[in-house]
Amino acid sequence: MKKLLVAFAALLVIQSLLSPAGAEASGCAVPSSPPAVAAPVKIVITPQQAQEAAIKRVPGAVLKDVSYCELDKKTGIYSIGIYYRTKTYEAEVNAETGMVMRFDRPS
């Protein structure tokens, strides 16, 4: 019986902490609105446009030299691999602006 009484008292304490009125009384802030959600990523640039932006960094390379092009929809970044004259180049292109954000040349 004593264990049941303790469990019931603990349940009441937890319930009072979880309810908005109990949270305010305990000094916890109660959000008045849901947390802000990040704006969705805008995809403006096509994969071909992203590839063209990346191959401009490799003199002589053409679209057929692109070995892969993947879009990360969460970040809005195209990851592009270029294989040209036995060397592999990697680029990241912003899907909204078409700007090359990162470009790695082989050493």
Side-chain angles (χ1 to χ4, degrees):
M1 181 72 176
K2 187 175 181 181
K3 288 182 182 179
L4 182 61
L5 205 53
V6 170
F8 183 70
L11 182 63
L12 286 177
V13 169
I14 291 171
Q15 184 180 7
S16 68
L17 290 175
L18 294 178
S19 69
E24 289 171 1
S26 68
C28 296
V30 177
S32 58
S33 61
V37 177
V41 176
K42 188 185 283 188
I43 309 298
V44 177
I45 304 300
T46 66
Q48 183 171 346
Q49 291 170 321
Q51 292 170 36
E52 289 170 352
I55 63 172
K56 286 180 183 178
R57 301 283 182 105
V58 183
V62 293
L63 281 176
K64 69 177 183 147
D65 297 317
V66 173
S67 55
Y68 65 88
C69 178
E70 299 171 351
L71 173 63
D72 183 337
K73 292 182 180 180
K74 289 182 181 178
T75 62
I77 301 290
Y78 284 104
S79 295
I80 300 169
I82 302 166
Y83 184 75
Y84 182 67
R85 293 193 176 176
T86 69
K87 295 183 180 177
T88 301
Y89 303 82
E90 293 183 353
E92 289 184 353
V93 178
N94 186 303
E96 185 174 357
T97 65
M99 186 171 135
V100 177
M101 307 298 291
R102 182 181 66 83
F103 186 79
D104 294 333
R105 297 179 188 277
S107 49

